[in-house]
Amino acid sequence: MMLDRVVIRVFGETERAEVKCHWAGEIVTTHPIVRTVRRFEQLEHHDEILDRIAALRAEGATARQIADDLNAKGWTPAKKPTFDALIVQKLLVRKGLGKKRPIWSGNVPRRNADEVTLQELSEQLGVHRQTAYGWLRRGKLKGRIAKVGTQRIWLVSLSHASTGIRTGESS
């Protein structure tokens, strides 16, 4: 048989597509395909996948167990052939169900109400946390280390940081 033309149809921005082969003699064959997409949100069932991840996490499942469940159901992530624990962990964080570290949770012992974590400072100033950490390393911010369990967390004075930003010391 001789192939006259091939038509590829993509369903929205999803991973679903089909290939239609038009053969000599007016025979047409249709073949569903799964294409790679760039973002998780482009997956046709992304809402169902997130709901399943949330439900399994609520039952106490680990990221590895959740990945195994999603793979068993035949779902695939964007850009990779199967789910793994790292992909699930990222999706858990996106859904607000990831591990909460004390640096973000606010459970850090403070000397006074003026002390904030670098994460809190960066959120209040609208800068990336690494930018605030750079200011600290270069001495443009003064801070101290607090320990929560085994984690070391930088605390800085909000009034000193705000004054430094206004006067140009910290930029």
Side-chain angles (χ1 to χ4, degrees):
M1 291 177 97
M2 185 160 15
L3 187 61
D4 284 336
R5 69 183 168 124
V6 175
V7 178
I8 299 173
R9 178 178 162 210
V10 177
F11 298 95
E13 291 185 359
T14 71
E15 75 280 16
R16 282 191 334 110
E18 72 178 12
V19 176
K20 279 192 177 185
C21 298
H22 295 261
W23 301 93
E26 298 185 21
I27 297 171
V28 177
T29 57
T30 303
H31 311 275
I33 61 169
V34 176
R35 69 186 188 106
T36 302
V37 292
R38 297 182 83 177
R39 296 182 326 274
F40 175 76
E41 292 76 18
Q42 288 178 283
L43 296 175
E44 183 178 34
H45 300 287
H46 76 277
D47 288 332
E48 291 174 57
I49 294 169
L50 282 176
D51 290 345
R52 182 69 182 158
I53 289 171
L56 291 170
R57 179 55 118 200
E59 294 171 10
T62 65
R64 174 77 260 153
Q65 291 168 330
I66 294 170
D68 291 343
D69 180 84
L70 297 175
N71 292 329
K73 291 197 175 315
W75 286 330
T76 57
K79 300 184 194 173
K80 295 212 175 183
T82 59
F83 281 95
D84 59 29
L86 183 59
I87 293 171
V88 170
Q89 287 168 353
K90 288 179 181 179
L91 292 172
L92 284 166
V93 168
R94 198 181 287 184
K95 186 85 170 162
L97 300 171
K99 293 180 181 174
K100 300 255 191 281
R101 294 174 56 199
I103 193 169
W104 296 309
S105 68
N107 296 330
V108 182
R110 299 155 201 254
R111 290 184 180 154
N112 55 53
D114 188 51
E115 281 191 321
V116 294
T117 66
L118 281 182
Q119 181 70 27
E120 293 164 343
L121 176 69
S122 66
E123 288 170 0
Q124 289 184 19
L125 298 179
V127 298
H128 193 277
R129 187 174 53 86
Q130 286 299 101
T131 301
Y133 182 67
W135 294 338
L136 185 67
R137 286 189 49 165
R138 290 189 303 274
K140 294 183 178 186
L141 281 178
K142 300 218 183 317
R144 70 178 183 90
I145 294 178
K147 281 194 144 193
V148 176
T150 60
Q151 188 172 6
R152 298 169 21 147
I153 300 168
W154 279 101
L155 292 169
V156 296
S157 165
L158 183 59
S159 58
H160 177 264
S162 297
T163 303
I165 297 297
R166 278 197 301 273
T167 62
E169 292 175 21
S170 300
S171 55

